[in-house]
Amino acid sequence: METVKIKDKQFDLFIKQNDIENAIENIAKTMSADLKGKNPLFICVLNGAFMFASELLKRMNEPAEVSFVKLSSYTGDKTEGQVKSLIGLNENIQGRTVVILEDIVDTGHTMVNMLEVLNLSSPKEIKIATLLFKPEALKVDVKLDYVALEIPPDFIVGYGLDYDGYGRNYPNIYKVKENL
Ligand code: IMP
Ligand code: MG
């Protein structure tokens, strides 16, 4: 599809599945090499990262351990809310190499919060792998170890990402059409 409509917004095709998966393939190679022998615990941040995690992890060579977490926030504010806790992390991460799998880094607040929470449990190291990164939107200092695709600061949906809960299912990524 060239365009999709979700609720009040129109979106145009922006990145095709094939290009997304080539980009994932590239970081998968680097990550496989870097993480060899480290027994990493992959932490997939729900809901957005499920498709990215699926494609990435299929390309990891060694048997991988994967956990799926959600972040619970104090406030309703999506991006600036303080993270209270991580729901669903049952593994003991003390002394382990942890690899966060995220859909998109925008302002960077979510990742900073997540690092703070995980660091309380004394992992050996934490690496961040993100499907998408909007460098121009970044507001905080956070080191991203693996970035599949850099994009401009426009609102997108598809490949796990949603607009008001919808659109995560699309295999391509779509960019919001600005009203003229
Ligand atoms: P950050 O805390 O500002 O870096 O935002 C990260 C979170 O905001 C992501 O995990 C997404 O859930 C959401 N987000 C940021 N940009 C977009 C977008 O363009 N489309 C859909 N969700 C987004
Ligand atoms: Mg997310």
Side-chain angles (χ1 to χ4, degrees):
M1 281 178 290
E2 289 298 312
T3 64
V4 296
K5 184 165 195 290
I6 302 174
K7 301 196 172 177
D8 59 323
K9 291 196 193 307
Q10 295 271 1
F11 295 83
D12 290 326
L13 182 59
F14 180 44
I15 312 172
K16 287 187 179 160
Q17 178 176 15
N18 193 41
D19 295 327
I20 300 167
E21 288 174 4
N22 282 340
I24 295 174
E25 175 88 37
N26 282 335
I27 61 165
K29 281 186 193 140
T30 312
M31 289 174 72
S32 274
D34 283 4
L35 298 167
K36 196 169 165 49
K38 291 193 169 180
N39 183 29
L41 172 66
F42 293 95
I43 298 185
C44 170
V45 185
L46 296 175
N47 295 326
F50 75 98
M51 242 183 235
F52 169 51
S54 166
E55 289 307 314
L56 180 77
L57 292 167
K58 281 189 260 179
R59 294 168 171 84
M60 292 286 143
N61 297 325
E62 295 192 36
E65 191 177 12
V66 191
S67 199
F68 298 84
V69 306
K70 277 200 175 203
L71 299 166
S72 80
S73 310
Y74 284 114
T75 69
D77 188 319
K78 270 170 260 164
T79 50
E80 318 241 348
Q82 283 292 305
V83 167
K84 189 161 55 177
S85 62
L86 269 184
I87 302 165
L89 184 64
N90 303 316
E91 291 77 8
N92 178 6
I93 65 165
Q94 192 181 347
R96 286 198 71 174
T97 294
V98 171
V99 184
I100 299 171
L101 305 181
E102 174 64 309
D103 54 357
I104 186 164
V105 176
D106 187 41
T107 64
H109 283 112
T110 306
M111 281 302 98
V112 165
N113 284 327
M114 188 137 177
L115 290 173
E116 279 170 12
V117 176
L118 289 173
N119 272 320
L120 296 174
S121 305
S122 311
K124 181 180 173 198
E125 59 182 338
I126 305 175
K127 292 179 182 289
I128 298 176
T130 186
L131 174 64
L132 298 147
F133 174 39
K134 297 177 178 171
E136 291 165 51
L138 194 67
K139 291 209 178 106
V140 291
D141 185 25
V142 59
K143 179 174 169 265
L144 305 176
D145 299 276
Y146 310 103
V147 175
L149 293 160
E150 288 195 3
I151 59 167
D154 302 304
F155 190 78
I156 55 159
V157 294
Y159 216 85
L161 291 106
D162 71 304
Y163 169 52
D164 206 11
Y166 288 84
R168 298 189 193 278
N169 55 300
Y170 292 125
N172 304 309
I173 290 174
Y174 295 84
K175 184 164 84 174
V176 75
K177 191 179 251 175
E178 294 308 336
N179 295 324
L180 299 173

mmCIF file of all heavy atoms in Angstrom, residues 32 35 63 80 101 109 120 129 138 155:
data_model
loop_
_atom_site.group_PDB
_atom_site.id
_atom_site.type_symbol
_atom_site.label_atom_id
_atom_site.label_comp_id
_atom_site.label_asym_id
_atom_site.label_seq_id
_atom_site.Cartn_x
_atom_site.Cartn_y
_atom_site.Cartn_z
ATOM 1 N N SER A 32 25.813 -10.038 16.503
ATOM 2 C CA SER A 32 26.218 -11.444 16.674
ATOM 3 C C SER A 32 27.698 -11.542 17.014
ATOM 4 O O SER A 32 28.100 -12.300 17.899
ATOM 5 C CB SER A 32 25.961 -12.236 15.390
ATOM 6 O OG SER A 32 24.650 -12.713 15.357
ATOM 7 N N LEU A 35 28.472 -9.860 20.581
ATOM 8 C CA LEU A 35 27.873 -10.502 21.760
ATOM 9 C C LEU A 35 28.273 -11.967 21.906
ATOM 10 O O LEU A 35 27.868 -12.631 22.857
ATOM 11 C CB LEU A 35 26.340 -10.381 21.692
ATOM 12 C CG LEU A 35 25.817 -8.935 21.698
ATOM 13 C CD1 LEU A 35 24.344 -8.880 21.301
ATOM 14 C CD2 LEU A 35 26.023 -8.293 23.067
ATOM 15 N N PRO A 63 22.233 -19.468 20.883
ATOM 16 C CA PRO A 63 20.938 -19.558 21.568
ATOM 17 C C PRO A 63 20.745 -18.330 22.457
ATOM 18 O O PRO A 63 21.611 -18.017 23.275
ATOM 19 C CB PRO A 63 21.049 -20.841 22.405
ATOM 20 C CG PRO A 63 22.489 -21.176 22.460
ATOM 21 C CD PRO A 63 23.125 -20.574 21.242
ATOM 22 N N GLU A 80 7.589 12.064 28.464
ATOM 23 C CA GLU A 80 8.347 12.680 29.547
ATOM 24 C C GLU A 80 8.012 12.096 30.915
ATOM 25 O O GLU A 80 8.578 12.514 31.915
ATOM 26 C CB GLU A 80 8.124 14.208 29.556
ATOM 27 C CG GLU A 80 8.132 14.802 28.163
ATOM 28 C CD GLU A 80 9.236 15.823 27.943
ATOM 29 O OE1 GLU A 80 9.861 16.244 28.918
ATOM 30 O OE2 GLU A 80 9.450 16.189 26.781
ATOM 31 N N LEU A 101 16.072 -4.035 23.447
ATOM 32 C CA LEU A 101 15.575 -3.947 22.078
ATOM 33 C C LEU A 101 14.398 -2.981 22.063
ATOM 34 O O LEU A 101 13.344 -3.250 22.649
ATOM 35 C CB LEU A 101 15.139 -5.319 21.563
ATOM 36 C CG LEU A 101 16.192 -6.424 21.641
ATOM 37 C CD1 LEU A 101 15.633 -7.733 21.082
ATOM 38 C CD2 LEU A 101 17.470 -6.031 20.904
ATOM 39 N N HIS A 109 14.187 10.011 26.480
ATOM 40 C CA HIS A 109 13.778 9.902 27.890
ATOM 41 C C HIS A 109 13.473 8.461 28.301
ATOM 42 O O HIS A 109 13.847 8.022 29.387
ATOM 43 C CB HIS A 109 12.560 10.794 28.174
ATOM 44 C CG HIS A 109 12.912 12.234 28.303
ATOM 45 N ND1 HIS A 109 12.514 13.185 27.379
ATOM 46 C CD2 HIS A 109 13.651 12.893 29.236
ATOM 47 C CE1 HIS A 109 12.993 14.368 27.753
ATOM 48 N NE2 HIS A 109 13.683 14.222 28.865
ATOM 49 N N LEU A 120 19.874 -0.418 38.718
ATOM 50 C CA LEU A 120 19.648 -0.725 40.137
ATOM 51 C C LEU A 120 19.929 -2.201 40.435
ATOM 52 O O LEU A 120 20.234 -2.568 41.562
ATOM 53 C CB LEU A 120 18.196 -0.405 40.539
ATOM 54 C CG LEU A 120 17.749 1.064 40.457
ATOM 55 C CD1 LEU A 120 16.263 1.167 40.750
ATOM 56 C CD2 LEU A 120 18.559 1.923 41.427
ATOM 57 N N ALA A 129 19.854 -1.519 21.506
ATOM 58 C CA ALA A 129 19.658 -1.694 20.067
ATOM 59 C C ALA A 129 18.288 -1.141 19.719
ATOM 60 O O ALA A 129 17.280 -1.521 20.316
ATOM 61 C CB ALA A 129 19.735 -3.174 19.695
ATOM 62 N N LEU A 138 16.495 14.134 19.711
ATOM 63 C CA LEU A 138 17.136 13.710 20.962
ATOM 64 C C LEU A 138 17.329 14.887 21.918
ATOM 65 O O LEU A 138 17.839 15.935 21.528
ATOM 66 C CB LEU A 138 18.482 13.056 20.646
ATOM 67 C CG LEU A 138 19.126 12.263 21.786
ATOM 68 C CD1 LEU A 138 18.312 11.030 22.124
ATOM 69 C CD2 LEU A 138 20.549 11.869 21.427
ATOM 70 N N PHE A 155 6.419 11.923 12.517
ATOM 71 C CA PHE A 155 5.681 10.852 13.171
ATOM 72 C C PHE A 155 5.441 9.701 12.196
ATOM 73 O O PHE A 155 4.988 9.912 11.077
ATOM 74 C CB PHE A 155 4.349 11.353 13.730
ATOM 75 C CG PHE A 155 3.699 10.333 14.605
ATOM 76 C CD1 PHE A 155 4.132 10.145 15.903
ATOM 77 C CD2 PHE A 155 2.680 9.521 14.113
ATOM 78 C CE1 PHE A 155 3.560 9.170 16.715
ATOM 79 C CE2 PHE A 155 2.106 8.541 14.925
ATOM 80 C CZ PHE A 155 2.541 8.372 16.221
#
